[in-house]
Every structure is written in structure tokens, then in C-alpha cells.
Amino acid sequence: MSTPRDSVVRVGLLFPELLGTYGDGGNAVILVQRLRWRGLDAELVEIAAGTTVPETCDLYLLGGGEDAPQTEAARELGTDGPLHRAVARGAVVLAVCAGMQIVGRSFPGGSGRTETGLGLLDCVTVKTDEPRAVGELLVTPDAAFADLGRLTGFENHGGRTRLGPGARPLGRVVAGVGNGDGTEGVTTADEADGRVVGTYLHGPVLARNPALADALLAWVVGAPLDPLDDTDADALRAERFRAVEQGNLDGVAHRTWRDRLLRRN
Amino acid sequence: MTRSPHRSELPRRSRAALAAGRGVATLSRAAHLGSGSVIGGKLALAVDPLLLGRLSAGHDTVLVSGTNGKTTTTHLVGAALRTAGPVASNTLGANMPPGMVAALDRAPDDVTAVLEVDERWLPRVLGEVGPAVVVLLNLSRDQLDRSHEVRKIADTWRDALGRLATRVVVANADDPLVVWAAGGAPHVVWVGAGSSWTADAAGCPACGGRIDFSPTTWRCTACDFARPEPAWTDDGTHAVQRDGPRVPLAVELPGRVNRGNALLALAAADAVGVEPATAAPGLRRVREVAGRYRSADVADSRLRMLLAKNPAGWTEAIDMLAPAPRPVVAAINARIADGRDPSWLWDVPYERLQGRLVVATGERRHDLAVRLRYADVDHDVADSLEAAVRRCGTPDVDLIANYTAFQDYLDAVGREP
């Protein structure tokens, strides 16, 4: 859809005051930096709630948020608005946690009501009796996304997401909960239906998964990207993989008997 | 305020509870498990759940709460009040009821009590203690996987303050969430204590509209919720009281935020009845707060130790650093007490550390290293504090550590100065 480009890549961070609970702005910083380090022009566009959403960004980011702001964000974006037109034009969307829930067909709002989502992904999110999913999440990508490598992050969500026939997951859960049925993440089954990626790997998911960042950027740029020095991210990934293997899913590494006795962490 | 019952008039159950708590605390100390105050207080409260209210009834009480600066401001209020008489306080940051019970148990009858209160516990403690003065500092995101909404805390504060006859609420006029919370109280003294963090107050707590911040003030763009005119401000050298005298404000602790905390402390002392001119010199006696701002010798360097637990705290701590190029050791853990998810690192303006070497350490040093890389900050990684300081290789090094990392280092360098 898009062609190799010579102009500035515009990264739109949607409603940071509504969908920015978990360091979500980090994904925008990461995408812009990875373009600039490669000598490509990039611009970070913060799109405030209540303002007109520009249709001209190349990539849109939706982050995590609480129930009420999440519902407000979905209301503002509507079911046929500027974001839908941008996606139809070929713009890429990364929707994280609450952001993924609202780009689906429906999601549970704060008052227990089912809210209408943007319908960009064929999935529904429901409230179940399961406890809130909080902790490390490790995912093996499906064959179609093998280039991404293992996906690692933290999850913190109450809802469970069911995929329809027009959607497919990013991969299978190794540790954690993800969508709730053993799969994690949602994207369109057919790229012609839009380049929209959703995940429960919350907050700055691209910090731990630079290959995912580059996959999104390659879509935008329309060509493979030169490799970057990801030494720090590689070390972080190795450390997190090790933590999951050791069953250290909650980051509590060195609690001694003394800590336990004093209920100190 | 009523000043009864005195210790000898406490019900038998309360006295038994205190004796049991002291016994356990003594055993705990003997076993080198710590001060024993928290475990002792827990046992005492299990024996007599009404103990906190009964003990505090014998004291004029000042409560200090907020997300950041609680322990420091509690020390500053205590120092200001000590210029006029003895004070009891939970100065080591044990800020839930067991720690408060332990502090009050050690206190002679009638001395003023200054108690730090965890922000989530404030509504309940307000009800039990019935304080003379409440000091409200700030509210921002902290430990995300435990405390889901900062705004909910502001609402619970507002409800609790509206139901109580607290004599005076001393509140930071520069934090919209604090102003919203204090708005429930009948008598508020507004203090222009400053705020370096606005991200959690962008939505108006009154109407949901957008709050517009300028360098000196704020107001909602949709309703009439706005910064109240403060009764106390800081002109850079003096505390200036509207319709009152100017008092020299000298603070040994670093950072603009601590000048704001000192101003709040002075206003709190005034509300208790201690003249600002008397109280202000006391503020200078605070040079270190439970190990924070300490200097210690580590690996042939002089290490200045700063604590920061969340994005607002890190923003303030970065403001306290010696100028570049002095290197910084930054330490991150993600244990339960820190919040298990360090995603908040992306909310900290680490870009401000450009121009100096930053060595990342702590259990989540690699998360920090990635953050520093994207902030274009010259950085390295070290697997211990000592190795990190050695990597800096300068005579003076600043440390910023989050909660459990800081406690570990304090144990390593010795808790006493």
C-alpha cells in the first residue's frame, strides 16, 4: 500500500492523558528514535483528547488506561472516524492493553456495561470471573510472526479477549495469561483489512521487543530496515527470559526469611 | 482539643496491647530483625483495634500525607515544632497504623505528635485520630500494579476531610488533585509549595475538563476550578505570608521540592501555634532524612544518596543532582514494595541526564539501560553498587535509587551517619 518514502514519518500518540497509565509514551519515543538513528526523519505527534484526530499520521499508538478514560477514548474515536480512514489508507496501529480492547468490537466498561469498540479488529473483550492478570507475560510467536522472536513484557488487565474469524493472534502464551485462551495478541487475519496490531504486553512493549518495533516501521517505510545496536535490549530480553524460566514471575528476587517474617519486601 | 485520656487512664485492654507489642518489639530487636516497631504495633493493634484513636487522644496531632516527600516533610514539621517543645514522630517512614502506634507508645503524655501517613490509609487514620492539622503534599502515580487510580485516592481524601472537624488543613495549592481533596475541608491554609509533575492532574477532578498549566499557576479550561491564592509563598529566600511577616527560609536539604516541603512545614507549625520566626530556624537542623541525602564512602568515592520511587520523585531527584558532568549511579529494583512493573521508567524524563555518565544498577538495571539508550544518555551497566561507583571513577558520585534498592544500600553503608 505504501511506497518507499522520502518524507517525514509521523507517529501519532493518541490521547496520552487518557491512555497513558503505564509508560505508554515510551513506544512513541522508541519508534521515533529508531527512525532517527537510521537517518530517517520522524515526528512525534501527541494527539490530545478532545481535539480533532489528524488522518495524516503514518502510525498510531493507543496505550493502556483505566475503565472510564478507556470508554471516553472509544467514544471519541467512534466507529467510523479519522482513525478508521487513516487505517483504510494504510496507516499502522499499535494498540496496547486497554487500547487493544477498544479497537476490538466491544469491551467491558467501568459500570459493567458492554461498550462498543472501534471495530478495527475482529475480537471482543469480556469480563470473566478469572482474577486480574498481573505479571510477566512470555509469548512464542506464531509461524507468520517468527521474525519477531519471542515476545516479552508485563501484563495487567482484567478482561479476556476472544478472537473472531477475521483476526489471528500473534502467538501462544508460554507464561502469563494473554488473551485468556492460550493465545496472545490480536491482528488482522488479512492485511487488506488494515495493519492493526493489538497486545496485552503493556506499557513500553517495544522496549523489550525491538523486532516488533522494526516490523511496524518496515510496514510504514515499505522496505526492510537496517539493523541497529540493540545490545541493551538483548541483555534485558535475556534477563527476563531467565527470570521466567526460574519461575520468578513477579520480580521478587531476593526475599529472605527475615523479609518474610517482617512481611517486608 | 480534648486531652484525655492520659496514659494511666487507658483501658486495661489497651495497656495489655501495648505491653504485648513492646515485648515482641524487644524480642525482635534482640534477634536483630530491625527496630521491632512495626511488628510490635501490629500485635498491639490485634489485641486492641481501637488503640490508635485511644493513644492519639492524648496528643495534639499533625498528620502528613501525599505520594512523595512524606518522610522528609514529617521530619521538617517535627524540627519546626521542636523549637517550641518536644515532639513524637514515626520518623523512619513506618507510615501505617502499626508504625504510628509504636511512635505514640513511646511518646510522653501531651507532646505534639507528627505522624507520616500512607496516602491510602489517610481516610481511615483521619477518622481514628481526629488530628489538629493535616498536611497534604501531592498526589501522583505510584506503584501502578497496586494502586490503580490516583484520582480515587483524591476522592477518598475529599470525602474523609469533609466529614471531619480537622482544625486546619495545610495543602499544596500547586497540585490540582490536592486542591480537589482539600476542598472538602472547612478550613484550608493554601501553600504555594510547587509541583514538578502535572501528568496525573491533566484532567480536571471537578468536571473532567482539561487543566491548563502555566509556570506559576493552573486552571481548568472548562469550569471554575483553579489554583487557590496561597497564603504562603517562597520568594527564593523568605517564606512570605499573605497579610503577615516575611521569615527567612533556609533549608539544608537539596532541591526546589524541599523548599516547598519546608514551606508546608512552616505553615503547619503556624497552624499548631508555633510562631514562624521561632519555627523557621529549626528547619535547618534537618540534613538527612532516614538515610536520604546521606553521604557515604563507597569504593573510594563520596556517594550522595537520593531516594526516588516513582516518576514524580525521579523528576525531583534529577533536579537535586550536582551539575553535569558529575556521574550518576541509578538503581532500580522491582520488588513488591517498588511495584513489580518498571514500565514507569518511561514516564521519567531521563533525557535530562544527557551530558554525564549514568551507570545503571539494581535488579532491573537492564530495563533502565534500555530507557537510557533511547534517552541518548551515555550509560553503562554494573551488577553491584560498588562496581557502579568504581565505573564512575570520580571522587564524588550521586546515587538515585528506588525504594528497596535504597534500603539495601543503606544496610550496606550503615544506617547511622
Side-chain angles (χ1 to χ4, degrees):
Chain A
M1 267 186 261
S2 66
T3 48
R5 43 189 308 138
D6 51 10
S7 61
V8 61
V9 175
R10 303 179 78 220
V11 176
L13 180 60
L14 276 162
F15 306 163
E17 68 277 58
L18 295 177
L19 302 173
T21 324
Y22 295 106
D24 298 276
N27 292 322
V29 171
I30 289 164
L31 290 167
V32 167
Q33 285 287 57
R34 294 184 79 82
L35 288 165
R36 288 185 183 156
W37 288 340
R38 293 174 164 114
L40 299 164
D41 282 337
E43 183 190 351
L44 170 55
V45 183
E46 287 204 14
I47 305 165
T51 63
T52 307
V53 175
E55 291 179 36
T56 51
C57 291
D58 300 286
L59 203 155
Y60 293 85
L61 297 170
L62 290 136
E66 308 291 344
D67 293 341
Q70 177 186 18
T71 305
E72 169 64 15
R75 197 186 58 74
E76 289 201 22
L77 291 168
T79 53
D80 182 21
L83 185 62
H84 298 77
R85 290 191 287 279
V87 168
R89 189 179 41 74
V92 174
V93 176
L94 174 64
V96 170
C97 200
M100 172 170 85
Q101 296 181 349
I102 68 173
V103 300
R105 298 194 182 283
S106 67
F107 63 94
S111 49
R113 269 181 38 190
T114 299
E115 303 283 346
T116 303
L118 277 60
L120 290 170
L121 285 175
D122 183 16
C123 64
V124 297
T125 299
V126 294
K127 192 107 191 98
T128 68
D129 297 333
E130 309 271 318
R132 196 172 173 85
V134 184
E136 284 287 320
L137 177 55
L138 179 63
V139 177
T140 304
D142 283 353
F145 306 105
D147 291 352
L148 300 181
R150 283 190 282 180
L151 296 165
T152 165
F154 197 89
E155 64 182 330
N156 187 349
H157 55 100
R160 299 293 187 269
T161 298
R162 309 277 175 260
L163 279 62
R168 57 177 167 172
L170 293 177
R172 300 207 63 79
V173 172
V174 177
V177 174
N179 295 337
D181 60 358
T183 68
E184 154 52 23
V186 185
T187 187
T188 44
D190 182 348
E191 201 186 306
D193 293 332
R195 298 158 155 182
V196 182
V197 175
T199 178
Y200 274 122
L201 295 158
H202 88 177
V205 49
L206 302 180
R208 288 204 210 173
N209 302 284
L212 177 58
D214 284 352
L216 300 173
L217 291 175
W219 256 347
V220 170
V221 175
L225 297 162
D226 299 333
L228 292 172
D229 173 7
D230 281 314
T231 312
D232 288 319
D234 291 344
L236 172 58
R237 288 169 63 79
E239 186 266 323
R240 288 289 87 201
F241 295 155
R242 216 163 37 240
V244 170
E245 280 157 19
Q246 292 168 354
N248 175 19
L249 300 183
D250 60 3
V252 183
H254 306 298
R255 274 184 99 203
T256 62
W257 65 271
R258 203 171 110 171
D259 293 330
R260 284 171 201 281
L261 191 65
L262 296 175
R263 296 207 190 162
R264 191 168 70 182
N265 305 294
Chain B
M1 176 166 195
T2 52
R3 288 192 174 269
S4 64
H6 277 202
R7 179 61 47 89
S8 54
E9 299 158 27
L10 281 174
R12 178 172 300 176
R13 179 177 191 155
S14 303
R15 280 181 278 149
L18 289 169
R22 276 183 227 129
V24 162
T26 306
L27 286 174
S28 171
R29 272 194 302 277
H32 301 290
L33 290 170
S35 75
S37 64
V38 170
I39 200 167
K42 269 186 188 163
L43 178 62
L45 278 166
V47 176
D48 179 4
L50 301 178
L51 192 54
L52 181 58
R54 285 177 176 152
L55 279 176
S56 60
H59 305 275
D60 247 2
T61 304
V62 180
L63 301 182
V64 179
S65 196
T67 305
N68 287 319
K70 290 185 287 289
T71 307
T72 298
T73 308
T74 298
H75 277 247
L76 289 165
V77 173
L81 294 180
R82 267 187 206 99
T83 59
V87 169
S89 195
N90 53 341
T91 49
L92 292 176
N95 60 15
M96 290 185 244
M100 295 175 216
V101 161
L104 290 170
D105 181 31
R106 291 189 297 265
D109 285 334
D110 286 340
V111 306
T112 305
V114 183
L115 299 176
E116 168 184 343
V117 188
D118 180 276
E119 58 274 28
R120 287 169 291 269
W121 281 87
L122 182 66
R124 192 174 143 189
V125 171
L126 277 170
E128 293 185 19
V129 169
V133 178
V134 181
V135 183
L136 305 179
L137 306 170
N138 51 63
L139 279 173
S140 71
R141 58 188 73 179
D142 189 33
Q143 302 178 6
L144 286 166
D145 51 355
R146 287 208 310 204
S147 168
H148 280 285
E149 278 184 84
V150 181
R151 272 150 203 286
K152 252 181 218 155
I153 297 179
D155 285 336
T156 61
W157 281 14
R158 186 178 165 95
D159 283 352
L161 289 165
R163 277 186 266 110
L164 274 177
T166 298
R167 205 192 300 155
V168 181
V169 173
V170 173
N172 182 0
D174 290 313
D175 186 326
L177 289 175
V178 164
V179 172
W180 171 249
H187 182 33
V188 185
V189 174
W190 300 110
V191 178
S195 171
S196 55
W197 184 258
T198 58
D200 294 305
C204 174
C207 78
R210 187 175 56 81
I211 300 231
D212 186 41
F213 290 91
S214 79
T216 54
T217 189
W218 56 265
R219 62 170 308 105
C220 176
T221 52
C223 72
D224 59 5
F225 186 61
R227 180 183 188 252
E229 192 55 43
W232 294 74
T233 51
D234 170 15
D235 72 359
T237 57
H238 289 72
V240 183
Q241 226 181 323
R242 197 178 53 203
D243 317 319
R246 283 159 46 93
V247 175
L249 183 68
V251 183
E252 294 294 317
L253 300 175
R256 278 173 296 183
V257 64
N258 282 325
R259 286 194 68 84
N261 290 338
L263 193 64
L264 285 156
L266 213 51
D270 183 57
V272 173
V274 180
E275 287 287 325
T278 307
L283 299 170
R284 294 197 68 168
R285 294 197 196 117
V286 182
R287 294 187 161 82
E288 176 183 326
V289 176
R292 296 152 211 195
Y293 316 108
R294 272 288 273 289
S295 284
D297 292 319
V298 175
D300 305 324
S301 293
R302 194 80 182 141
L303 184 71
R304 192 172 60 131
M305 301 174 68
L306 303 175
L307 170 73
K309 297 187 263 198
N310 49 43
W314 274 84
T315 305
E316 288 158 1
I318 288 171
D319 176 54
M320 293 174 198
L321 294 172
R326 179 180 292 184
V328 173
V329 175
I332 299 291
N333 283 353
R335 300 184 204 170
I336 289 171
D338 302 306
R340 298 179 305 162
D341 169 25
S343 293
W344 56 267
L345 291 174
W346 292 86
D347 291 329
V348 178
Y350 285 109
E351 287 77 6
R352 295 184 195 171
L353 294 175
Q354 286 167 6
R356 57 173 108 215
L357 172 68
V358 178
V359 182
T361 189
E363 290 156 7
R364 299 306 291 271
R365 55 192 175 275
H366 295 297
D367 295 79
L368 179 59
V370 170
R371 174 70 187 95
L372 292 168
R373 161 136 170 86
Y374 284 103
D376 286 325
V377 173
D378 180 23
H379 66 279
D380 203 347
V381 177
D383 61 8
S384 70
L385 176 64
E386 191 172 329
V389 173
R390 277 195 203 292
R391 172 68 184 81
C392 293
T394 50
D396 289 288
V397 174
D398 280 346
L399 165 74
I400 310 179
N402 77 335
Y403 186 70
T404 64
F406 191 89
Q407 301 306 325
D408 285 353
Y409 301 154
L410 210 49
D411 281 336
V413 303
R415 289 194 169 256
E416 300 303 320

